[in-house]
Amino acid sequence: MLVKNPATDTVLTTLAAIELDDLQKMEVDLHKGQKKWAQYPLKERLGHVVKFGQLILSHKQELAEILTKETGKPISQSINEIQGAQNRIEHLVSNAERWLSTEHVTSIGATQELVVYEPLGVIANISAWNFPYNVGFNVFLYALVAGNAVLYKPSEFATLTGREFEKYLHQAGVPEDVFRCVIGDSRTGQQVLDLSLDGYFFTGSYKTGVHIAQSVAHKLVPVQLELGGKDPLYVTEDVVDVQQAAVSAAEGAFYNNGQSCCAVERIYVSDKIYDQFVQAFIDEVASYPVGNPMLLDTFIGPLTREAQLGVLQEQIQDALLKGASLRLGGHIIDSSGYYHQPTVLIDCNHDMSLMREETFGPLIGIQKVSSDEEAIQLMRDTDYGLTAAVFSSNRDRAMAILKEMDTGTVYWNCCDRVSPNVPWSGRKNSGLGSTLSSQGIRAFVQPKAYHLRQ
Ligand code: TXE
């Protein structure tokens, strides 16, 4: 399996995908290891995860360079992700005991009713490349703390980072037969589906997510899917500061080169401030330094996957054909890497795939609207349901709009943010189940109800 640097289209290294018999041996080991790991006191499991977090932080620079080299993520954003992902560990330290301890529900007469939360067993985490720390920690750290063993299959575009997770988890005292990183691409991922595991936790595309869910359905084990999105952002005419709204929306659309499940993927603007917003938005995006992701001031690096360049070009051509106007960028950058100009199209409409299909790149469409009713109708016109944002000075007005959204997360005067304190969930084609919050902690256990009569 070739590991390439998307900034230069050169080969970083070649890795051998795991052989099937080694994968099957690993499964047996993990089942054995999990039985012992589940007997560790919760505090001790938490202690190993905290130690892991400390090791990651103490190697932050080196790990950021690995992440940038294999995904093209600008180094400042790699450092931010590694630093920011620590909040998952803090969340576990503050909440795991509360949500995983035995619940003494009732004690009436001679009868007591308890709930014990038992680990699922050995779970597969088939993961993604765009935020490997965030989307990985959301799953495998919560799974480990709950007493599960983890078979972790990183994306083929973030394999080097996946190997670092395994190295530092083992150094932190997580036994080798409790966490293993599996090297391989979709073929290996497919082989993981045939193992007898106790849960499948996936982050990636809708298509692959549905395939995984269908493939393991007969096992009747928990399946969680964190998939893509087509997240809308609506700016009303009463925003306090149009410029600030434009800056926030631009960052939400172009951070990590737009390669984020909760990136702003389409923007609706009141006709009363449309021209002012568009100009402020374009000025902001035009100011983003594009270039070598290893340089600290780069904001836009290469796309991680070369194939996405074609997707962006198709969406741009389709939109122009259907009446959009190109106001910034529009072209693949002639370089050795997978670079695309940050691109802004305006006067868009919902006939365009740009306003309906996931873009997952540095490209955004803006559409004018004349009322909240029109904005709500357009924001709801999607097969996805991850996040939706409204920028307005009026909280009641924003809350009334957000109430109409069929999404797992909504934002008022912010966007593109994930917090471990509240559930992270997708609806419709954006996913199944919740990670983070108490729901994310309980996602990796199964309740056993005890009815005890003295
Ligand atoms: O996803 P894939 P990719 C979306 C986004 C992006 C698209 C493709 O739209 O453009 O997914 O990204 C493994 N059986 N998101 O190619 O193909 C694969 O090896 C088992 C949104 O990364 O779904 C990898 O480990 N496993 C998402 C993982 O699935 C299989 C973040 C994801 O690969 C498999 C990333 C199979 N048949 C992409 N085929 C988010 N929520 O942010 C592939 N895999």
Side-chain angles (χ1 to χ4, degrees):
M1 197 177 83
L2 290 185
V3 179
K4 294 177 82 172
N5 179 337
T8 57
D9 192 26
T10 53
V11 176
L12 289 169
T13 184
T14 309
L15 297 175
I18 189 169
E19 295 296 330
L20 181 57
D21 55 358
D22 291 334
L23 183 64
Q24 290 163 337
K25 264 191 243 118
M26 184 188 285
E27 178 202 347
V28 172
D29 290 348
L30 286 168
H31 278 294
K32 274 197 215 116
Q34 189 273 327
K35 293 204 175 11
K36 289 177 283 182
W37 179 246
Q39 300 311 310
Y40 282 45
L42 173 61
K43 265 193 180 11
E44 194 175 332
R45 295 199 296 263
L46 259 179
H48 292 306
V49 166
V50 168
K51 174 78 181 138
F52 165 74
Q54 290 162 350
L55 287 168
I56 291 292
L57 279 184
S58 60
H59 294 84
K60 185 169 64 175
Q61 185 57 34
E62 165 202 336
L63 290 168
E65 287 173 15
I66 290 172
L67 179 58
T68 292
K69 282 191 184 127
E70 67 177 339
T71 65
K73 184 184 292 239
I75 191 79
S76 63
Q77 296 179 22
S78 290
I79 292 167
N80 283 347
E81 180 184 351
I82 294 170
Q83 188 71 50
Q86 292 289 322
N87 64 10
R88 273 78 168 162
I89 297 173
E90 289 147 22
H91 179 255
L92 280 164
V93 169
S94 312
N95 294 279
E97 287 207 68
R98 177 166 159 224
W99 295 105
L100 296 177
S101 301
T102 299
E103 255 180 320
H104 296 263
V105 185
T106 66
S107 179
I108 300 165
T111 306
Q112 274 191 322
E113 295 168 345
L114 317 178
V115 181
V116 173
Y117 292 99
E118 298 182 341
L120 299 173
V122 179
I123 64 115
N125 180 198
I126 300 176
S127 202
W129 47 266
N130 59 332
F131 286 96
Y133 286 80
N134 292 346
V135 301
F137 288 16
N138 290 0
V139 173
F140 63 72
L141 292 185
Y142 286 72
L144 287 170
V145 167
N148 301 281
V150 177
L151 188 151
Y152 175 67
K153 212 294 292 171
S155 164
E156 47 277 32
F157 298 98
T159 305
L160 302 182
T161 295
R163 291 199 313 180
E164 297 301 308
F165 292 160
E166 181 181 78
K167 178 170 82 177
Y168 290 119
L169 279 167
H170 293 165
Q171 276 187 25
V174 174
E176 292 196 8
D177 57 3
V178 171
F179 182 93
R180 292 300 299 275
C181 172
V182 166
I183 309 294
D185 57 16
S186 54
R187 201 175 59 83
T188 302
Q190 182 64 41
Q191 291 171 339
V192 169
L193 305 187
D194 299 330
L195 301 177
S196 60
L197 301 179
D198 306 301
Y200 289 83
F201 294 78
F202 170 75
T203 301
S205 64
Y206 166 72
K207 187 169 72 61
T208 305
V210 169
H211 169 77
I212 290 175
Q214 286 172 329
S215 305
V216 304
H218 66 288
K219 299 174 194 260
L220 295 183
V221 295
V223 173
Q224 276 211 357
L225 308 172
E226 193 219 306
L227 308 178
K230 191 63 188 177
D231 299 358
L233 181 147
Y234 169 40
V235 187
T236 66
E237 83 292 335
D238 69 3
V239 280
V240 172
D241 178 343
V242 173
Q243 161 81 22
Q244 182 48 50
V247 168
S248 300
E251 182 163 349
F254 288 89
Y255 192 84
N256 197 29
N257 227 344
Q259 299 171 127
S260 162
C261 56
C262 55
V264 173
E265 283 257 346
R266 47 196 172 113
I267 299 176
Y268 304 97
V269 181
S270 161
D271 50 10
K272 298 178 185 63
I273 56 161
Y274 185 72
D275 295 340
Q276 187 191 355
F277 176 90
V278 164
Q279 193 51 57
F281 187 87
I282 286 165
D283 293 346
E284 175 65 13
V285 178
S287 73
Y288 291 155
V290 179
N292 177 349
M294 292 301 280
L295 300 178
L296 260 180
D297 69 358
T298 295
F299 188 80
I300 301 273
L303 285 163
T304 302
R305 295 158 64 248
E306 188 172 17
Q308 204 67 12
L309 289 169
V311 173
L312 301 183
Q313 282 296 306
E314 278 165 24
Q315 289 192 353
I316 292 167
Q317 296 319 316
D318 172 76
L320 293 175
L321 266 178
K322 292 173 182 169
S325 308
L326 175 65
R327 288 293 303 274
L328 188 71
H331 305 289
I332 291 171
I333 296 172
D334 182 14
S335 74
S336 56
Y338 317 145
Y339 285 86
H340 196 286
Q341 291 176 329
T343 298
V344 180
L345 294 171
I346 67 167
D347 302 340
C348 295
N349 62 55
H350 273 216
D351 294 337
M352 304 168 186
S353 67
L354 171 62
M355 300 301 276
R356 308 181 65 83
E357 302 307 322
E358 191 169 40
T359 300
F360 227 65
L363 162 63
I364 192 81
I366 302 178
Q367 182 169 351
K368 188 188 296 186
V369 293
S370 58
S371 69
D372 290 357
E373 290 67 30
E374 185 186 6
I376 289 169
Q377 187 271 322
L378 289 165
M379 292 167 86
R380 287 177 57 90
D381 179 25
T382 176
D383 294 333
Y384 290 100
L386 197 60
T387 83
V390 174
F391 278 67
S392 168
S393 59
N394 182 326
R395 180 191 173 102
D396 293 344
R397 178 178 182 181
M399 295 298 272
I401 295 164
L402 294 177
K403 189 168 177 303
E404 299 300 321
M405 297 298 110
D406 189 9
T407 57
T409 295
V410 288
Y411 302 114
W412 177 43
N413 293 338
C414 57
C415 58
D416 194 18
R417 77 187 293 274
V418 177
S419 158
N421 303 313
V422 291
W424 182 250
S425 64
R427 299 182 186 180
K428 305 197 288 186
N429 290 2
S430 291
L432 197 60
S434 298
T435 52
L436 303 179
S437 81
S438 55
Q439 302 191 31
I441 293 175
R442 288 256 175 96
F444 298 97
V445 291
Q446 47 196 336
K448 180 183 281 179
Y450 283 72
H451 303 249
L452 307 174
R453 182 160 294 165
Q454 251 110 349

